[in-house]
Amino acid sequence: MAAKFQKPTGAFVAASWAALLVGAIVFLTGLWSASMQLNEKGYYFTILMYGLFSAVSLQKSVRDRLEGIPVTNIYYSLCWVSLLLSVALLAVGLFNATLAGSEKGFYGMAFLLALFGAVAVQKNVRDMAAHKSDTPGLADEPDVA
């Protein structure tokens, strides 16, 4: 039996998208303007993409299990390992980087904000889809936004 979830408020949806976009854009803007080698920029960009993907995949796996949709233990564990690995790789990269402490904190906080935003956006998308399919008459209407 699927769990029932409330439709997220417009304010929470907006805040979630803002967290994702602000975190990712600030992180990427910092990379763009940084005076580091291109391979270092590529490393941090790849970690951001890996972290966002693993966070969304973990959120989906947790939610699938909550709704009774089968998720294998190995995939669920892989999602956790991937998320933790992306955070660890960022931490190791920043620890060893020749950046000022404020820059390291800047990248770390922007990364974590983007991860939080990605999880919240995925949750909202899932909640709104579940609410729409549970509400008679809404499932047949086209999306306006």
Side-chain angles (χ1 to χ4, degrees):
M1 180 174 143
K4 297 288 183 185
F5 298 96
Q6 290 183 350
K7 182 179 178 186
T9 64
F12 185 63
V13 171
S16 301
W17 276 103
L20 172 59
L21 293 175
V22 167
I25 289 170
V26 165
F27 188 94
L28 294 173
T29 301
L31 278 184
W32 182 265
S33 62
S35 61
M36 59 179 74
Q37 294 183 12
L38 191 56
N39 63 330
E40 288 179 274
K41 290 181 180 186
Y43 175 80
Y44 290 115
F45 174 76
T46 302
I47 289 176
L48 176 65
M49 295 299 108
Y50 178 44
L52 291 174
F53 178 80
S54 62
V56 169
S57 188
L58 176 60
Q59 195 282 335
K60 183 182 180 334
S61 298
V62 168
R63 182 67 175 263
D64 283 352
R65 283 186 161 195
L66 189 61
E67 292 179 355
I69 299 170
V71 176
T72 63
N73 286 335
I74 194 160
Y75 185 77
Y76 181 72
S77 299
L78 182 61
C79 290
W80 272 109
V81 168
S82 292
L83 181 64
L84 296 174
L85 185 59
S86 70
V87 172
L89 285 170
L90 181 75
V92 168
L94 290 176
F95 180 78
N96 292 308
T98 56
L99 300 171
S102 59
E103 289 178 291
K104 292 178 182 184
F106 166 86
Y107 285 113
M109 292 308 296
F111 181 78
L112 293 176
L113 180 62
L115 291 185
F116 168 77
V119 169
V121 165
Q122 166 65 12
K123 179 199 176 303
N124 289 339
V125 167
R126 191 90 174 241
D127 287 348
M128 288 186 298
H131 183 274
K132 187 175 183 179
S133 67
D134 287 345
T135 306
L138 286 181
D140 297 328
E141 294 179 15
D143 289 333
V144 179

